[in-house]
Amino acid sequence: MKPENQDQAVHRPGPAKQDNKKHKTGRHRSKGTLEILKKGRTAQNSAKSKANHQLSRMERRHQAKILRKTKTENVLSEKRRSLNVPHLVAVIPLSNNVFVNEKLMEMTNVLQKADVKLRTSVASEGYSHLWIEQFKQAFTFIRPDCSSVLGLLDTLKVVDTILFMVSAEVGFDQDVDLLMTCILAQGLPSTVVAITDLEKIPIKKQNETKQCIQKDIENWLPDEKVSKIDTSTDILNVLRRISSQKKRSITFRDKRPHLLAEELAFIPSSDDNVGTMKVTGFLRGQTLSVNSLVHIPGWGDFQMEQIDLTSNDFIKSFTGKDVQTTILETANPKLQDNLACENIPDPMDAEQTWPTDEEMKEATSKNKRMIKRVPQGMSVYQSAWIPDEESDHDDENTESDEGSDDFYSIEDETSDNEMKSMLDDHMETMSMTSVASEAPIEADKYDLQFDLDEEEKILNKIKEAKADQMFPDEVDTPNDMPARIRFQKYRGLQSFRTSPWDVKENLPPEYARIFQFENFDRTRKRMFKNLENITGAMPDWYVTVHVKNIPSKMFHSRDARNPVVLFGLLPHEQKMSVLNVVLKRPSTVHFDEPIKSKSELIFQCGFRRFTAEPIFSQHTNGNKFKYERFFHQDSIVVATMFAPIVYPPCSVIAMKYCKDGSFVNIQIIILFYCILFYYFFSANNWKWKCLISKSRSSNC
């Protein structure tokens, strides 16, 4: 036995001891640590995030199956809808020798000779209806007047497919570039390109001719395949392609109810100047409420009296479904939207009380005589740059100063009324719009059509545009007025980027007449979300809309070759606001004349068309934007104007009238435009003119 006081021996590992690695729990606590921290307590496991959930193999199969089923149901519902609603097809010739009416009659005769079961009909507005038993599909062919670009664009706003016809003998017309540029800028629906008169070409050259047309059409429609329509088989293939291809979505059209007028009737009221117009056709897009407003392009905004559900004789002939004429809705004056487009400002809104003693003293101090201390020998014009000084001295001191050899004084004898009149004349001169435009003059008739004044105006405008492009931040001082008057509205900023600026400072009185959004993005989202809750006439119904207070002159003087199109307005879209659109000069249209700011232009914003004199500014980030005097080639600018509200996204086309009465497309919007509020100010020693807004951004 060992003695009690002797320490117990401890085993010491040797150099050959195995050293096992420790378990690495990573950046999280191990299971054992978690069990120790729980101390026997149990809790519900937190739900896993769906975003981080990895689908299993069966779940992926199930998800793909549901997606296929949804797509199949959408296609079948579209097929069933086509039995009751005709497919709108606009026939546009791209050659001079293609006559649409004759071609449509020829196509119908070829199908009838081939024993194809079909039915035809002609609407009161001149549209051709065609029913093919083989496809169980109805077609409505529209023949717009291509000589009127505005009427053509109004028609293409509501069609489902565009059928371009090209003659193999003649080829493309000279005005195809302008026509295709306008169509692509507005929004292109589904397209089909067909070649006619290919049989008149020798057999050995038919394939080569078709390839040349295919190559030319790819400049505007890269993925489009050219088809023939000479035989009955070719015609059926084109019709099958029109009915089965996927329809392209145009946002500004799909978000609003729209209708193509197949029948029109005018009922005069007690006042011979106005009356009620009945517009009958298939409603498309969204639900139309009788208490909302409607817009007719080129006519204006109107109210509705009632909406009737009617039957279409052509659809009834092959479906056998008869609908009795019933009144769907009647307008309620208490709930109906009004046509007020401008705000009526309150003249007593800025009413002031009796001035205080401090304000009276300040006004009295401003009436003191202003004296300038000018070095001897300086002219009156040079002395205008010297700041004024208040005359607080005695008369004796003033006389002694005036009698000195180094300085002499000049009293500002210009009264307030004279200064105000000069300022008004100057502002009137500055607000004058330069609308001079020139159409290309033929070389053999140059001497007959030569106008010396117009040539001089255009030459001066070109010189100003060239100088503005070379020296964008410089302004020459005028010779007919003092610089302190010419540039008195300009203001210097220490930093164009960081200096604060109140966007509501010194606004013109016109801003009291427009409407302003507290939060435009939130209002826009709410309007689009409420489309599902609207009650009234449903899409695909054949309805008659009673539009009241239509001017009789406008109805009787309309061009019968261009169809009447009706769009339903969303809330607030009849009101005026400040509109900003992003514009770009197209390279396909040869228009070299400089576009000056405040020039009169024709804007086509989606379904609406109006004339405005916009102000151009740079398209940049920030809350201040430099003013652009000219819209130069290969540049992108923001055009700001007073115009009715339209919720984006929406395409825009800007045009300008030429001297001969025609117009040229000069600029196109990029994707969309925004409705915001920008204010006019100047900075950097009268060398900057800007449009500013704290709410504007490049992604609005």
Side-chain angles (χ1 to χ4, degrees), residues 398-411:
T398 304
E399 292 176 359
S400 64
D401 292 341
E402 292 175 356
S404 62
D405 295 335
D406 297 335
F407 292 91
Y408 69 94
S409 62
I410 299 177
E411 295 186 5

Side-chain angles (χ1 to χ4, degrees), residues 197-231:
D197 303 330
L198 191 61
E199 294 181 349
K200 298 180 181 179
I201 304 296
I203 298 177
K204 295 183 179 181
K205 294 185 178 181
Q206 287 184 3
N207 191 21
E208 181 181 357
T209 303
K210 185 178 179 181
Q211 290 179 357
C212 291
I213 295 176
Q214 177 73 48
K215 186 177 180 181
D216 293 338
I217 202 67
E218 286 179 354
N219 295 330
W220 306 291
L221 306 173
D223 300 330
E224 192 62 40
K225 183 179 179 181
V226 178
S227 305
K228 299 187 298 181
I229 52 171
D230 290 333
T231 63

Side-chain angles (χ1 to χ4, degrees), residues 12 98 317 356 524:
R12 300 179 183 273
V98 176
S317 62
T356 61
R524 171 180 167 271

